[in-house]
């Protein structure tokens, strides 16, 4: 068995990842480790934030006495990149509407979507291209005696191309889903629902790369 700590408190993510990676993994989330350090997501890239979250835990864990062993940390960061806005909201996706407040808090999805529509008000359909991006950072937890030096982190990047609609549509999902029309569909992620989204989403694609690595090297309780 391979024990993985997910750097999230989101139980929905645990289920999604567990379903994709298979039964040879046992997952914990930060809900089971309330003393884990908080990481400030202030990097200027998804890879930077995911790496920062993974590194923080890889360095903290060897000094803890745990009920269950942890072999790997899996952290993720994701968001929306809109071409007409030079890649914004990007790493600021969760707090787009309140980005000028500098209080670090996230904004309600409705406010983020309203701001996006306002900024794109004069942008025609063919220039409203965008993508969701997800970067996963997988860190190996070394025993305390071997935890000196730079920890080993592997990154996996998944994208889902599409465009931003002129008004929100659909009831499913979260975040920018009501405005995002994935390429090849005339309906938003919020209309298409979880079954379709989980096949083509940025997160599913990043996880698929990770799954391929796991399938190659998971003998002896190790991914690499
Ligand atoms: P996080 O990486 O889960 O914290 O997501 C950052 C932000 O990006 C979210 O708060 C959403 O605004 C946006 N986002 C990330 N993934 C999705 C998605 O699948 N659908 C809609 N919005 C998303």
């Amino acid at each position: 068995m391979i024990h993985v700590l997910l750097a999230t408190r989101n139980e929905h993510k645990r289920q999604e990842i567990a379903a994709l990676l298979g039964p040879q993994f046992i997952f914990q989330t930060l809900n089971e480790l309330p003393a884990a350090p908080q990481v400030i997501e202030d990097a200027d890239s998804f890879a930077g934030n995911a790496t920062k979250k993974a590194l923080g835990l890889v360095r903290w864990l060897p000094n803890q006495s745990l009920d269950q062993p942890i072999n790997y940390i899996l952290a993720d960061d994701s968001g929306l990149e809109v071409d007409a806005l030079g890649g914004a909201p990007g790493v600021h996706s969760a707090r787009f509407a309140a980005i000028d407040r500098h209080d670090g808090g996230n904004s309600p999805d409705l406010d983020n979507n309203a701001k996006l529509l306002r900024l794109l008000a004069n942008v025609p359909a063919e220039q409203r291209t965008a993508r969701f991006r997800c970067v996963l950072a997988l860190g190996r937890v070394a025993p305390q005696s071997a935890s000196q030096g730079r920890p080993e982190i592997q990154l996996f990047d998944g994208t889902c191309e599409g465009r931003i609609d002129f008004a929100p549509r659909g009831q499913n999902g979260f975040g920018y889903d009501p405005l995002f029309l994935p390429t090849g569909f005339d309906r938003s992620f919020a209309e298409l629902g979880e079954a379709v989204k989980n096949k083509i989403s940025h997160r599913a694609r990043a996880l698929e790369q990770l799954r391929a690595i796991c399938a190659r090297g998971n003998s002896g309780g190790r991914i690499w």
Side-chain angles (χ1 to χ4, degrees), residues 13 76-79 93-94 109 132 174-177 197 202-203:
K13 279 190 188 167
D76 81 323
D77 197 34
S78 60
S93 292
D109 291 341
F132 278 122
F174 71 102
Y176 300 92
D177 281 347
K197 184 178 170 187
H202 46 313
R203 208 166 289 106

Side-chain angles (χ1 to χ4, degrees), residues 22-102:
Q24 72 273 38
F25 295 90
I26 295 178
F27 294 100
Q28 296 181 60
T29 70
L30 293 178
N31 293 327
E32 284 131 276
L33 287 173
Q38 286 277 349
V39 173
I40 298 170
E41 297 181 34
D42 58 359
D44 60 7
S45 67
F46 298 117
N49 280 329
T51 301
K52 196 173 172 192
K53 284 190 251 186
L55 274 179
L57 289 167
V58 164
R59 290 188 169 127
W60 177 77
L61 269 175
N63 303 314
Q64 309 307 310
S65 57
L66 303 169
D67 297 340
Q68 280 200 60
I70 292 176
N71 310 118
Y72 294 88
I73 306 291
L74 184 59
D76 81 323
D77 197 34
S78 60
L80 179 70
E81 299 173 342
V82 179
D83 294 326
L85 302 178
V91 290
H92 305 300
S93 292
R95 55 181 189 279
F96 191 37
I99 205 166
D100 303 325
R101 280 213 321 261
H102 300 294

